[in-house]
Amino acid sequence: MTKLSVNVNKIATIRNARGGDVPNVVQVAIDCERFGAEGITIHPRPDERHITTKDVYDLKKVVTTEFNIEGYPDERFMQLIKENKPTQATLVPDGPNVLTSNAGWDTVKYKDKLTKICQELSEMGVRSAIFVDTHLDNIRGAKAVGVDRIELYTGPYADNYEADRDVAIKDYIAAAELANELGLEINAGHDLSLENLAFFKQSIPHLEEVSIGHALIADALYLGLEETVKRYKNLLK
């Protein structure tokens, strides 16, 4: 069964809009695990517009499932990884001014940089993952840098799902098949939802984990957090 990692960035966004500690990010993470999530994902951006540096350390103390920290691998990010030793570090190519991760790595162009970082993560005992699109050269490049997993950027799939889901999924199937042949484990994330998740899961072989935040938290406003986590998990069986 594919694991569900809940991205709690949006909880921090709501908290930060008002100040104080409501809603409490740590408690929401604990509850997500209690309701069945197999992981917690955060993206601590330098401007702390959602997850703060303090949140990273506070969550490290309580997360009992897989702890996934994603971000651009600058010096600050790598220090957070070194000091908190999450289960997984997911490397994204976007800089601090990007609203949300919206593209994968050019693994050929940044081969040397990514190789060095993946080696550092391996030495820390942290599983490495890199955000990639479905271009097959970038899948091959991911293998070349020595990463443990890829995370398929599913924004284009979500954008095109309603128009023609078979067309939307086609390149992802090819990318996943190649990744599996190369011995790369596969994660996925970005704009996956209750509407499009089941078809993605059914179509992509060897899918280890999905990271879902925005849609899941939005659904929880209507369904409640416990019911929402259960619904997402049911789609991943």
Side-chain angles (χ1 to χ4, degrees):
M1 185 171 126
T2 303
K3 291 182 178 180
L4 170 65
S5 184
V6 176
N7 187 318
V8 295
N9 289 350
K10 285 299 183 294
I11 300 299
T13 300
I14 297 171
R15 176 200 62 192
N16 294 352
R18 189 66 179 266
D21 201 24
V22 178
N24 187 284
V25 174
V26 170
Q27 186 59 52
V28 169
I30 292 171
D31 289 339
C32 285
E33 291 184 317
R34 183 163 57 89
F35 299 148
E38 294 96 351
I40 298 296
T41 292
I42 57 172
H43 187 148
R45 291 182 177 274
D47 62 6
E48 298 194 336
R49 62 177 179 262
H50 39 64
I51 294 295
T52 66
T53 299
K54 182 178 183 298
D55 290 331
V56 180
Y57 292 87
D58 289 346
L59 286 165
K60 172 60 180 178
K61 296 174 185 175
V62 301
V63 172
T64 60
T65 59
E66 293 196 358
F67 190 27
N68 175 40
I69 302 179
E70 63 180 25
Y72 182 78
D74 56 13
E75 184 176 349
R76 169 185 175 271
F77 178 84
M78 294 303 289
Q79 188 65 28
L80 285 174
I81 299 300
K82 182 178 180 180
E83 293 182 2
N84 288 278
K85 297 291 195 308
T87 313
Q88 178 175 271
T90 300
L91 312 178
V92 297
D94 51 276
N97 296 322
V98 175
L99 179 63
T100 185
S101 301
N102 57 11
W105 284 97
D106 182 333
T107 58
V108 177
K109 180 178 180 180
Y110 294 102
K111 178 181 178 180
D112 291 345
K113 176 183 182 70
L114 291 170
T115 299
K116 178 177 181 293
I117 293 168
C118 287
Q119 180 60 39
E120 290 177 9
L121 293 173
S122 177
E123 292 171 357
M124 294 179 198
V126 175
R127 184 173 69 222
S128 58
I130 55 175
F131 208 49
V132 293
D133 57 31
T134 57
H135 290 217
L136 299 186
D137 284 346
N138 284 329
I139 305 298
R140 296 186 186 96
K143 176 64 176 179
V145 305
V147 75
D148 298 311
R149 291 187 179 184
I150 58 168
E151 178 173 338
L152 291 171
Y153 166 54
T154 50
Y157 164 74
D159 289 342
N160 296 298
Y161 176 81
E162 288 190 9
D164 191 329
R165 68 180 192 176
D166 292 316
V167 172
I169 199 66
K170 182 179 179 181
D171 289 344
Y172 289 88
I173 294 173
E177 288 175 345
L178 177 59
N180 186 58
E181 290 173 9
L182 295 173
L184 292 169
E185 294 185 321
I186 303 166
N187 296 343
H190 200 85
D191 288 343
L192 293 173
S193 67
L194 288 176
E195 287 71 37
N196 62 40
L197 179 59
F199 184 68
F200 190 86
K201 158 66 178 172
Q202 294 163 10
S203 304
I204 302 300
H206 314 293
L207 183 61
E208 295 287 339
E209 174 187 292
V210 294
S211 175
I212 304 178
H214 185 84
L216 189 151
I217 300 304
D219 290 330
L221 294 175
Y222 293 91
L223 302 172
L225 187 59
E226 182 173 7
E227 176 64 20
T228 300
V229 170
K230 289 179 178 178
R231 292 194 187 190
Y232 275 91
K233 278 178 57 65
N234 285 337
L235 297 178
L236 294 170
K237 290 181 178 178

